[in-house]
Amino acid sequence: MLSLIKGQLLKQAYNVPLLFQIENLHLTSALAAWQSNRQPRKWLKYNKVIYPPQLPDEERRPAFVCHQRTNIKYSPWKMWYVACLIRGMPVDEAIRQLKFVLKKGAKDVRETLEEAKELAVKEHNVEFPSNMWVAESMVGKGEVIKGYRRHARRRFGKVEYFHCHYFVRLEEGTPPKDYYQNAPKEPQEQLANWLASMRKRKINNSL
Amino acid sequence: MAASLITRVNLALQRLDHAIAAFFNKGFPPDGFCIAATNSEVYPQPPSNNITINDIIGDGFLWAVPRNRRTIEKRWKRRFGHPDYVLKILLPRKNLRVCNVCGDDHEVGVLCPTCYKKVIDETKEMQDAIQNELRLSPVEKEVVVLYDGEKNEKPSEYWQGKRVVEMKKSRPAWFSKNLLQQTTQQPATTTDVKPSDLG
């Protein structure tokens, strides 16, 4: 860059085009070699998927928005607890609960949810932003900055500064009754299942 | 002549023997010479410095290493805790209510933080006004804080034995005058109860 400018100045001074060797052709700063600018991009690609048109009798596919926030300065293992809290909640309820969570990551999660609500209305054809629920809420490990610290008696310890990515998918509609589907079945349902399994029995190699 | 023939035959046999031995020994010296030892002091070798990990760490080697695989129960206990001891999973809180005045959420039994913050800020302004007015003089008379235009409502004799602190702003809507009524009052002469100084 500097050599190019020098060349131009010389050209103007002597009015003759000069050919010279460029010593440094660095287009990025030297610090970039130490930085990793890789961001997770796959999650946001789900937003760009175009589904085929649905048949009139098919169940309507609910609108959804995928949003993320990268390189939050918080441990991913601690952030996981916050992400797990809001799974399967309506968005407004999730934001309300996060106000009273005494963790550093709760603030970032709350801001991400609010951004996702706005995006849903602007870009994903969602009518009422409050009519959404948290379908997926996940954490990934981000950039890790490493260092060392001293201890007594000539010992050393490794110091790691963790960052995390937070991914969330909001879906339109009311949330299901149990997100993890761990609830025990109703007695009627249990009876129906038992009856069906009894009727499915067959004596092998019989007529 | 016979003796030289015998010696010549002996020599020939010896040579044959040596040749066979040499053929089988493949370049090594004959058996008689194999006892000879080399002098290792002629060739100086570097001092052997085989440093093992044991020398560096000593008996500390292989101390802080897991001996057994952590069971899934132990892993769950560490990540999730236990309801009877310490539960690490966050649970949604059921003691949150909506404030009727501003619409923000607050815990049960706690004043709405947004509303209370307004009160805190206003109190601070009043305190600063009182501080500026009174400065270092001792507080012997009753201190009355008034907003814009309230001093003119009462005649000047009313303010005789009182220190008046004027705030240079209008009274906030949520701050009614009867909030600053004194609790120590003279016993009532009548049984009629009239609300007074409602803001």
Side-chain angles (χ1 to χ4, degrees):
Chain A
M1 184 68 183
L2 203 63
S3 50
L4 283 166
I5 294 168
K6 241 179 20 185
Q8 284 296 315
L9 289 170
L10 284 168
K11 189 174 165 183
Q12 283 169 16
Y14 295 105
N15 211 22
V16 167
L18 290 170
L19 291 170
F20 50 88
Q21 271 187 326
I22 299 166
E23 287 152 38
N24 309 322
L25 188 65
H26 293 303
L27 299 172
T28 49
S29 68
L31 221 64
W34 295 98
Q35 290 165 355
S36 57
N37 293 330
R38 283 169 39 223
Q39 302 268 318
R41 293 179 302 222
K42 271 199 264 184
W43 186 242
L44 297 175
K45 282 190 186 165
Y46 286 113
N47 284 332
K48 296 182 185 162
V49 170
I50 297 170
Y51 293 90
Q54 288 186 290
L55 298 166
D57 52 344
E58 220 177 305
E59 202 187 298
R60 189 157 178 186
R61 190 181 295 113
F64 68 88
V65 60
C66 293
H67 192 45
Q68 68 185 30
R69 186 178 271 212
T70 52
N71 284 327
I72 306 163
K73 179 63 202 70
Y74 197 50
S75 162
W77 299 278
K78 295 176 192 169
M79 185 67 121
W80 180 79
Y81 292 103
V82 181
C84 281
L85 170 69
I86 60 168
R87 279 176 194 163
M89 273 192 195
V91 203
D92 289 343
E93 180 64 27
I95 289 170
R96 195 165 154 236
Q97 289 291 334
L98 287 168
K99 269 194 234 182
F100 295 92
V101 170
L102 301 175
K103 286 194 183 288
K104 184 164 135 186
K107 183 176 163 228
D108 288 281
V109 172
R110 193 174 158 203
E111 285 167 13
T112 314
L113 283 177
E114 280 162 4
E115 282 170 22
K117 272 173 79 173
E118 285 170 27
L119 277 176
V121 171
K122 275 190 219 166
E123 295 170 21
H124 294 89
N125 195 26
V126 166
E127 198 183 348
F128 302 112
S130 295
N131 189 27
M132 291 205 282
W133 61 284
V134 178
E136 286 183 68
S137 164
M138 297 152 348
V139 181
K141 187 169 84 165
E143 197 187 336
V144 181
I145 297 169
K146 288 171 225 192
Y148 291 93
R149 65 148 290 186
R150 305 162 67 145
H151 284 276
R153 294 174 184 268
R154 275 186 251 162
R155 302 245 168 106
F156 285 88
K158 196 171 173 187
V159 180
E160 287 171 313
Y161 297 97
F162 287 100
H163 295 74
C164 62
H165 308 309
Y166 176 65
F167 308 99
V168 70
R169 183 166 74 89
L170 298 179
E171 217 172 83
E172 201 181 12
T174 47
K177 285 224 179 61
D178 42 7
Y179 181 76
Y180 292 105
Q181 293 160 19
N182 277 349
K185 294 194 171 65
E186 295 290 306
Q188 307 90 289
E189 210 183 326
Q190 283 187 36
L191 177 66
N193 285 351
W194 179 81
L195 271 176
S197 66
M198 286 288 126
R199 282 175 188 152
K200 254 197 293 186
R201 290 179 296 178
K202 181 189 181 237
I203 299 167
N204 288 329
N205 304 321
S206 68
L207 291 164
Chain B
M1 198 181 98
S4 67
L5 184 68
I6 288 163
T7 48
R8 283 212 325 257
V9 167
N10 264 341
L11 266 173
L13 281 172
Q14 267 183 23
R15 280 188 198 135
L16 179 66
D17 197 22
H18 286 312
I20 292 165
F23 172 74
F24 281 117
N25 284 350
K26 283 277 180 191
F28 281 93
D31 294 328
F33 289 90
C34 285
I35 307 163
T38 52
N39 192 5
S40 59
E41 284 171 18
V42 178
Y43 306 103
Q45 283 176 4
S48 63
N49 50 353
N50 295 330
I51 301 167
T52 57
I53 294 168
N54 218 13
D55 298 334
I56 302 167
I57 304 174
D59 287 333
F61 184 51
L62 289 181
W63 266 358
V65 142
R67 283 198 79 100
N68 299 106
R69 187 191 170 160
R70 281 162 151 175
T71 56
I72 191 68
E73 291 86 16
K74 283 208 172 281
R75 281 181 263 156
W76 287 337
K77 189 80 181 287
R78 185 180 66 250
R79 281 172 203 160
F80 312 138
H82 195 276
D84 293 347
Y85 303 95
V86 173
L87 194 62
K88 288 180 93 169
I89 320 174
L90 296 172
L91 292 170
R93 295 175 81 156
K94 296 179 196 166
N95 61 343
L96 305 176
R97 305 281 181 269
V98 183
C99 174
N100 290 327
V101 175
C102 61
D104 280 353
D105 306 293
H106 64 95
E107 292 168 69
V108 159
V110 166
L111 293 173
C112 169
T114 36
C115 295
Y116 188 44
K117 191 162 188 312
K118 279 194 280 181
V119 175
I120 293 169
D121 295 337
E122 187 63 35
T123 313
K124 181 120 197 343
E125 275 184 50
M126 284 168 71
Q127 284 171 342
D128 290 340
I130 294 168
Q131 189 84 335
N132 289 335
E133 179 72 29
L134 300 182
R135 296 212 185 256
L136 297 169
S137 56
V139 180
E140 283 160 352
K141 298 177 189 170
E142 187 196 335
V143 177
V144 175
V145 179
L146 297 172
Y147 287 89
D148 269 346
E150 285 173 13
K151 194 163 182 194
N152 304 327
E153 283 170 25
K154 295 276 192 328
S156 55
E157 295 86 39
Y158 185 80
W159 308 117
Q160 276 297 329
K162 301 176 187 176
R163 296 290 304 272
V164 171
V165 177
E166 293 241 48
M167 294 271 287
K168 293 175 189 63
K169 58 186 272 205
S170 55
R171 184 172 275 272
W174 50 266
F175 192 4
S176 62
K177 278 189 216 167
N178 66 346
L179 282 174
L180 288 178
Q181 268 184 354
Q182 288 197 326
T183 50
T184 52
Q185 283 180 357
Q186 299 302 315
T189 44
T190 61
T191 46
D192 308 333
V193 178
K194 274 191 217 163
S196 59
D197 282 334
L198 287 170

